Every structure is written in structure tokens, then in C-alpha cells.
């Protein structure tokens, strides 16, 4: 994009100069709010992703492994005993 090309162009409709100015002001305000929010969170620790239940985890649906070693068959069928 060269410096002679417009940064913003209205593709459809007839926008008045006031409407174009309002659009540019809204976009500038949004960009300023985003950069301010980014600067505020840049120094803070990142927040962890929201916790999800185990219903998504495929390993949750698998049964636990069977015990190994002497007496393993007994522990497999009589846990805790």
C-alpha cells in the first residue's frame, strides 16, 4: 500500500464526510482500547484457560490399568483387600 492510496475506502453506499469521520473515530477508539488493554495485561500473569469437564477427555472414558505383580489377580477383583 503506497502513501497515495487511501487507508480506508467506502465500498458500498454514499457516506457523508461526517459519517466517515464518525467511522474513523469509532475505529480509532476501539484500537486505542485494545492497545490499552494489551498494555495492562502485558505486565500481569496470563490467565489460565477456563477449566473444562472431563467429558471431553478421551482418557476419562478408559478404565484404569490392571495391577501387576504377585497377587495382582486378587487386587484386580477385590480392590482394597
Amino acid at each position: 500500500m503506497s502513501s497515495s492510496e487511501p487507508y480506508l475506502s467506502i465500498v458500498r453506499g454514499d457516506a457523508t464526510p461526517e459519517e466517515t469521520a464518525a467511522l474513523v473515530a469509532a475505529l480509532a477508539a476501539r484500537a486505542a482500547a485494545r492497545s490499552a488493554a494489551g498494555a495492562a495485561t502485558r505486565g500481569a500473569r496470563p490467565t489460565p484457560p477456563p477449566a473444562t469437564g472431563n467429558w471431553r477427555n478421551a482418557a476419562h472414558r478408559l478404565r484404569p490399568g490392571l495391577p501387576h505383580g504377585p497377587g495382582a489377580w486378587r487386587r484386580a477383583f477385590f480392590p482394597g483387600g
Side-chain angles (χ1 to χ4, degrees), residues 51-74:
T52 57
N54 273 342
W55 65 272
R56 281 190 194 178
N57 188 356
H60 176 70
R61 293 186 292 268
L62 299 174
R63 68 179 187 158
L66 295 173
H68 300 282
W73 66 271
R74 186 174 289 125

Side-chain angles (χ1 to χ4, degrees), residues 1 4 9 11 13 16 21 23 26 30 40 43-45 51 55 60 64 66-68 74 76:
M1 180 183 251
S4 64
S9 66
V11 177
T16 64
L23 175 64
R30 183 175 179 186
R45 279 192 338 204
W55 65 272
H60 176 70
L66 295 173
H68 300 282
R74 186 174 289 125

Side-chain angles (χ1 to χ4, degrees), residues 8 18-32:
L8 178 71
E18 292 83 14
E19 291 172 336
T20 305
L23 175 64
V24 169
L27 292 175
R30 183 175 179 186

Side-chain angles (χ1 to χ4, degrees), residues 26-27 42 46 58 65 72 75:
L27 292 175
R42 205 169 295 135
R75 287 192 312 271

